[in-house]
Amino acid sequence: MRVDILTLFPGMFEGFLNQSILKRAQTKGIVELHIHDLRNYSQDKHKNVDDYAFGGGAGMVMMAEPIVLCIEELCAERSYDEIIFMSPDGELLNQAMANQLSLKNNLIMICGRYKGIDQRVRDHWVSMEISIGEYVLTGGELAAAVVSDAIIRLIPGVLSDESSALSDSFQGELLDAPVYTRPENFRGHIVPEVLLSGDHKKIDEWRYEQSLKKSERHKQAEE
Ligand code: ADE
């Protein structure tokens, strides 16, 4: 999979994408991540990328041209499955969406800043808008990082133990059971005895029960 991220703040991705599992996915050649600085596509001598909103009002709007020039450059090289705009009014990210996106080959993610991007880009170039939650961030960068992480870890070969992605919370109907590691007694808090029993049938039953309980609590909290 190839992901191209369009942003005014490329530095925000440096640490995040070059650590841990995302780094390994790139080193293994499973994923290519390319960060594009939209300022490099500005046609103006001051490298401006934003301007006042027509009709007035507070806040600057990201201009269409730098974004579209970058999209055009990328689309001339390969075809993209989705051109995604990260936006609080987009479709809410969930596991089903992450699963579907993880099957794609080429994705563009556009990170907005300020008051947003010129609506014409959204109307004529963007194929999908994703929100990572019902709150407003200062820009789409964190959202693009979240979406990238959620989808890249699902690509076969990225996680060393692939079954662990399949047993994730939200992957099936149920949330994950609680997990414990050494020591057995941490400051007087003891690991559930069944997990130390070596009886795998009992352990599976316990985990299933815990998953049911947790899922039920989660559902009630949502209602
Ligand atoms: N940009 C600003 N807030 C956002 C959100 N909640 N999701 C996606 N992109 C955003």
Side-chain angles (χ1 to χ4, degrees):
M1 173 186 283
R2 177 181 166 121
V3 182
D4 291 271
I5 299 179
L6 282 48
T7 173
L8 289 176
F9 296 92
M12 283 185 75
F13 292 93
E14 272 161 27
F16 168 77
L17 297 176
N18 297 317
Q19 306 284 327
S20 178
I21 288 168
L22 293 195
K23 180 180 179 184
R24 214 179 54 217
Q26 292 174 85
T27 315
K28 280 184 168 177
I30 301 172
V31 173
E32 266 184 55
L33 288 157
H34 298 268
I35 311 298
H36 306 273
D37 187 345
L38 285 170
R39 219 167 274 283
N40 295 336
Y41 294 84
S42 169
Q43 296 301 291
D44 143 335
K45 64 174 187 258
H46 303 293
K47 295 257 170 217
N48 282 330
V49 286
D50 58 344
D51 211 331
Y52 295 101
F54 278 128
M60 304 293 276
V61 176
M62 282 170 67
M63 291 188 287
E65 189 162 51
I67 303 172
V68 170
L69 284 174
C70 184
I71 292 174
E72 282 174 347
E73 188 178 290
L74 293 169
C75 291
E77 295 291 322
R78 67 196 64 74
S79 78
Y80 282 85
D81 300 291
E82 298 286 357
I83 299 181
I84 303 168
F85 176 53
M86 308 312 307
S87 165
D89 35 69
E91 195 182 333
L92 209 51
L93 176 68
N94 59 19
Q95 193 61 46
M97 190 195 286
N99 290 348
Q100 278 175 10
L101 288 173
S102 74
L103 303 172
K104 308 290 186 192
N105 292 321
N106 298 310
L107 299 173
I108 290 178
M109 296 186 195
I110 305 167
C111 306
R113 282 266 150 179
Y114 319 123
K115 264 321 252 181
I117 64 173
D118 190 304
Q119 182 63 34
R120 290 167 289 187
V121 179
R122 296 171 73 165
D123 291 344
H124 304 292
W125 280 270
V126 165
S127 62
M128 182 177 190
E129 300 195 343
I130 302 180
S131 163
I132 62 158
E134 291 169 342
Y135 42 80
V136 180
L137 302 165
T138 49
E141 285 76 10
L142 287 171
V146 167
V147 174
S148 302
D149 188 286
I151 65 183
I152 289 169
R153 64 189 292 285
L154 297 171
I155 302 171
V158 170
L159 294 185
S160 39
D161 176 6
E162 277 174 44
S163 67
S164 82
L166 290 176
S167 70
D168 281 343
S169 287
F170 299 108
Q171 198 53 267
E173 295 289 296
L174 298 177
L175 299 179
D176 250 1
V179 290
Y180 301 84
T181 187
R182 286 189 291 182
E184 285 177 34
N185 179 339
F186 178 68
R187 301 190 182 176
H189 304 289
I190 316 278
V191 172
E193 216 177 304
V194 59
L195 296 177
L196 310 172
S197 68
D199 182 336
H200 287 282
K201 189 165 170 282
K202 267 204 187 138
I203 292 173
D204 286 347
E205 279 167 10
W206 180 86
R207 286 188 169 146
Y208 181 63
E209 259 170 44
Q210 294 295 316
S211 285
L212 280 178
K213 279 190 196 156
K214 207 183 197 183
S215 307
E216 193 50 41
R217 280 200 302 271
H218 184 84
K219 221 165 85 190
Q220 277 167 4
E222 272 193 338
E223 282 165 10

